[in-house]
Amino acid sequence: MPNSTPPRWKRWKTELTLAAAFAAATPVAALDLASRYQAEPHLSPLPRTDAERVRIEAVTAPATDFSAPEPFENLPAGAATVRARSDDEAFSQHSANLSFEQELEFKLGNGLFKKIWVFAPASTLGSDGLGPLYNARSCQRCHLKDGRGHVPEQPDYASTSMFLRVSIPGPVPSEMQVISDYIGTAPDPNYGQQLQDFSAPGIHSEYKLQVDYGEFEVPLNGGQTATLRRPLYTAANLGYGPLAEGAMLSPRVAPPMIGLGLLETIPAADILAHADEEDADGNGISGRANLVWSQEFNQIMLGRFGLKAGSPTVHEQSAGAFSGDIGISTPLFPAHAGECTNQQIKCQSAPHGGSDSRETEIDQPNMDLVTFYSRNLGVPARRNTDDPKVLRGKQVFYDSGCTSCHVPKYVTHRLQDRPEQSFQLVWPYSDLLLHDMGEGLADHRPEARATGREWRTAPLWGIGLTQQVSPRATFLHDGRARTLLEAILWHGGEAEAAKTRVVELSPRDRAALISFLESL
C-alpha cells in the first residue's frame, strides 16, 4: 500500500535523522552539515508560501479514486509536456513551454549532442579531440534518439551504448569523511573508472564487453510463466594487463534523457521527505539519499542523476559523460586524455584538441548549450489515461506497493531564471532515492553511499515509448529485461513483497498493470 505518512511530518523526521547521523561525527557542526542534504546551489528558488504548501500537499497526495484519471495526469511534465509522437522522435522534442529564443538554444545544443567527434589533429578544429580511449563518438550514439541504449550483440559485441564501470576499494576522501557510511573506492590503476572499448589508431582499446545469458522460468499465478535471462559479463581482450585485485565491475546501459531539468528542480526537501532509512513506518521500504561531492560547487550535494544517483546536477553529469564516454575535456573535467591512466603512456601522450585559444576540447559556452538541451528534452503526454484497463492497472500499481518507491508526483521549485521548469506539477514516478534491490540485481560495486545492492529508483515517465524510440532497447540498469514484466520480476530486496504481489495477480490484473505502465 502507498505510504500514508504526512509529508510534513516525514520532512521533520528526516531532518532530525540527518542531524543525529552527523552529530556522532561532528557534534558542533551537525545541523549545518545536515542542511547540506538540502543545499541547491544550482538553483535560485523562491520560498514557498504557507498557502502554496497547502496546495502542493493536496495536489501531490496519493490517488484514492481509480474510476477516472486524476486532474492533469495526462500532462506528466506540466506545461513542458510534449505531444506523444508515434515515431522514433518521441523523446527528441523540446519542452513545450520554451520561448522562441530558447528553441534556438535547444537546437544549438542538439547539434552538439549529435556532433561526431574526430581524432586530433584534424582540420575540423571545433570537433577534434576524440578519445584517445572512448565508448562512443557522440552523446547521441549512447542515448539513441535521446532514449535508452542497448546491450551488445554477438558476434562482435560492439557496445556503443553500454559499458562497464570499474573501481577498487579505497580510502574515503577527506571532504566526505563527515558521512559515516560513505564507502571509499578508487580507480583501477590500469583502467581508471570506466572501461572503453574503442581507441585512436596506434593505441590499444581497453577491452571488449562480452555478455552471455542463462535463462530460467518463473511461474506466475493463472498458469502463466515468464522467462528471465541472467547475464554474465566478461571484460575480454584486456589491453593493459589484468584488472587490479578486488576490482568491482558494474554494467551500465545509457538511460533516457527526457525530463532531466524537471528532476533537477524538484526540491531536495521533498525528495528527502520520502527517505526512511530505519523503516520507521514498518512498510519494508527504506529509501536513502545518495550524497556526493560536487566538482561544480565544491560541496556535498544530494545525488539525483545516474543509475546510483552519483551525480548532483545535469551539467556535472553531462561533463562527466564527455570525459568518460567520449574522451573530450571540459572546464569541469579538463584532462585532455579523458579516462587514460598514468599506466597508459601512449594514451597520455597522444595528440589532443586543446590549444592556446581553446583550453579544453569543448568550452563552457558550448557545455552550457548541451546542458540546456539535456534539461529540456520533453516528456511525452500520457496515452489512454481514461481507458478502464489502464485505470485498473493504476490501482494494481498502487495496491501492490509500487508507489512506495515509484512516487508519482511532485511540484518543482518556483524559479525566476528557469521559467520552463518553474512550479510545474510533474509525474516522474520515482523518489530518486537508493533502495536495496536484492541479490539478483546487485552489482557489488558501491558508489558514494550506495552499496553494491542499491540502485536509484528509475523514473518511469515515457517508459511505454521506450521500444518505439529504439526497438533494441531493453530495461533495468544492464538491459537484461526484454519486457516490462521481466523488469518487475527481477525486483527483490525492498521490492520483494511488491514483486510477489505481481506474481500472485490474476492474468487479467497483471495485463492491466502492464497496460498502465505502457501508458506512462
Side-chain angles (χ1 to χ4, degrees), residues 25 152 377 392:
L377 282 159
R392 175 57 188 162

Side-chain angles (χ1 to χ4, degrees), residues 280-304:
D281 56 16
N283 70 345
I285 306 298
S286 52
R288 304 193 315 127
N290 204 358
L291 297 173
V292 299
W293 182 257
S294 171
Q295 292 290 121
E296 185 176 5
F297 296 104
N298 292 312
Q299 66 180 77
I300 297 170
M301 290 179 65
L302 172 68
R304 300 175 187 239

